[in-house]
Short mmCIF file of all heavy atoms in Angstrom, two decimals:
data_model
loop_
_atom_site.label_atom_id
_atom_site.label_comp_id
_atom_site.label_asym_id
_atom_site.label_seq_id
_atom_site.Cartn_x
_atom_site.Cartn_y
_atom_site.Cartn_z
N ILE A 584 -9.52 -195.93 102.17
CA ILE A 584 -8.10 -196.21 101.88
C ILE A 584 -7.25 -195.00 102.23
O ILE A 584 -6.18 -195.12 102.84
CB ILE A 584 -7.91 -196.59 100.40
CG1 ILE A 584 -8.55 -197.96 100.13
CG2 ILE A 584 -6.42 -196.62 100.03
CD1 ILE A 584 -8.62 -198.32 98.65
N GLN A 585 -7.73 -193.81 101.85
CA GLN A 585 -6.99 -192.58 102.15
C GLN A 585 -6.85 -192.39 103.66
O GLN A 585 -5.78 -192.03 104.16
CB GLN A 585 -7.68 -191.39 101.52
CG GLN A 585 -7.61 -190.06 102.27
CD GLN A 585 -6.22 -189.56 102.55
OE1 GLN A 585 -5.25 -189.95 101.89
NE2 GLN A 585 -6.10 -188.66 103.52
N ALA A 586 -7.93 -192.64 104.42
CA ALA A 586 -7.88 -192.47 105.87
C ALA A 586 -6.90 -193.44 106.51
O ALA A 586 -6.13 -193.08 107.40
CB ALA A 586 -9.28 -192.65 106.46
N ILE A 587 -6.93 -194.69 106.07
CA ILE A 587 -5.99 -195.70 106.59
C ILE A 587 -4.56 -195.30 106.28
O ILE A 587 -3.66 -195.39 107.13
CB ILE A 587 -6.31 -197.09 106.00
CG1 ILE A 587 -7.66 -197.59 106.53
CG2 ILE A 587 -5.19 -198.08 106.33
CD1 ILE A 587 -8.15 -198.84 105.83
N ALA A 588 -4.32 -194.85 105.05
CA ALA A 588 -2.97 -194.46 104.64
C ALA A 588 -2.47 -193.26 105.44
O ALA A 588 -1.32 -193.23 105.89
CB ALA A 588 -2.95 -194.15 103.15
N GLN A 589 -3.34 -192.26 105.63
CA GLN A 589 -2.93 -191.07 106.37
C GLN A 589 -2.61 -191.41 107.82
O GLN A 589 -1.60 -190.94 108.37
CB GLN A 589 -4.05 -190.02 106.33
CG GLN A 589 -3.68 -188.73 107.05
CD GLN A 589 -4.72 -187.64 106.86
OE1 GLN A 589 -5.22 -187.44 105.75
NE2 GLN A 589 -5.08 -186.96 107.93
N THR A 590 -3.43 -192.24 108.44
CA THR A 590 -3.16 -192.65 109.81
C THR A 590 -1.88 -193.47 109.90
O THR A 590 -1.07 -193.29 110.82
CB THR A 590 -4.35 -193.47 110.36
OG1 THR A 590 -5.53 -192.67 110.30
CG2 THR A 590 -4.11 -193.90 111.80
N GLY A 591 -1.69 -194.36 108.92
CA GLY A 591 -0.48 -195.15 108.91
C GLY A 591 0.77 -194.29 108.81
O GLY A 591 1.77 -194.52 109.51
N LEU A 592 0.72 -193.28 107.95
CA LEU A 592 1.87 -192.39 107.80
C LEU A 592 2.12 -191.56 109.06
O LEU A 592 3.24 -191.14 109.34
CB LEU A 592 1.65 -191.45 106.61
CG LEU A 592 1.79 -192.12 105.23
CD1 LEU A 592 1.30 -191.18 104.13
CD2 LEU A 592 3.23 -192.52 104.97
N ALA A 593 1.05 -191.34 109.83
CA ALA A 593 1.20 -190.55 111.06
C ALA A 593 1.94 -191.33 112.14
O ALA A 593 2.62 -190.74 112.98
CB ALA A 593 -0.17 -190.12 111.57
N TYR A 594 1.81 -192.68 112.12
CA TYR A 594 2.35 -193.47 113.22
C TYR A 594 3.47 -194.44 112.83
O TYR A 594 4.26 -194.85 113.68
CB TYR A 594 1.23 -194.26 113.89
CG TYR A 594 0.23 -193.37 114.59
CD1 TYR A 594 -1.03 -193.15 114.04
CD2 TYR A 594 0.55 -192.75 115.79
CE1 TYR A 594 -1.95 -192.33 114.68
CE2 TYR A 594 -0.37 -191.93 116.43
CZ TYR A 594 -1.62 -191.72 115.87
OH TYR A 594 -2.51 -190.91 116.50
N ALA A 595 3.55 -194.82 111.57
CA ALA A 595 4.54 -195.81 111.16
C ALA A 595 5.95 -195.22 111.19
O ALA A 595 6.17 -194.08 110.78
CB ALA A 595 4.22 -196.32 109.76
N THR A 596 6.88 -196.03 111.65
CA THR A 596 8.29 -195.61 111.67
C THR A 596 9.15 -196.45 110.75
O THR A 596 10.21 -196.00 110.32
CB THR A 596 8.85 -195.69 113.10
OG1 THR A 596 8.67 -197.02 113.61
CG2 THR A 596 8.12 -194.71 114.04
N ASP A 597 8.69 -197.66 110.45
CA ASP A 597 9.43 -198.53 109.55
C ASP A 597 9.38 -197.98 108.13
O ASP A 597 8.31 -197.62 107.62
CB ASP A 597 8.84 -199.94 109.58
CG ASP A 597 9.60 -200.89 108.67
OD1 ASP A 597 10.63 -201.43 109.12
OD2 ASP A 597 9.15 -201.06 107.51
N VAL A 598 10.52 -197.88 107.48
CA VAL A 598 10.59 -197.27 106.16
C VAL A 598 9.75 -198.02 105.13
O VAL A 598 9.13 -197.41 104.25
CB VAL A 598 12.05 -197.15 105.69
CG1 VAL A 598 12.69 -198.52 105.55
CG2 VAL A 598 12.14 -196.36 104.38
N PHE A 599 9.69 -199.33 105.26
CA PHE A 599 8.91 -200.12 104.29
C PHE A 599 7.41 -199.94 104.51
O PHE A 599 6.63 -199.89 103.56
CB PHE A 599 9.32 -201.59 104.37
CG PHE A 599 10.76 -201.82 104.02
CD1 PHE A 599 11.68 -202.18 104.99
CD2 PHE A 599 11.20 -201.67 102.71
CE1 PHE A 599 13.01 -202.39 104.68
CE2 PHE A 599 12.54 -201.88 102.38
CZ PHE A 599 13.44 -202.23 103.36
N ASP A 600 7.01 -199.85 105.78
CA ASP A 600 5.60 -199.58 106.06
C ASP A 600 5.19 -198.21 105.51
O ASP A 600 4.10 -198.04 104.96
CB ASP A 600 5.34 -199.62 107.58
CG ASP A 600 5.29 -201.04 108.11
OD1 ASP A 600 5.12 -201.96 107.30
OD2 ASP A 600 5.43 -201.21 109.34
N ARG A 601 6.08 -197.23 105.64
CA ARG A 601 5.76 -195.90 105.15
C ARG A 601 5.63 -195.91 103.62
O ARG A 601 4.79 -195.21 103.05
CB ARG A 601 6.83 -194.89 105.60
CG ARG A 601 6.84 -194.67 107.11
CD ARG A 601 7.74 -193.51 107.50
NE ARG A 601 7.26 -192.25 106.93
CZ ARG A 601 6.30 -191.52 107.48
NH1 ARG A 601 5.69 -191.91 108.59
NH2 ARG A 601 5.92 -190.38 106.93
#
Side-chain angles (χ1 to χ4, degrees):
I584 291 170
Q585 146 58 21
I587 292 171
Q589 181 173 316
T590 301
L592 287 170
Y594 293 106
T596 56
D597 181 84
V598 63
F599 298 109
D600 284 342
R601 293 189 63 82

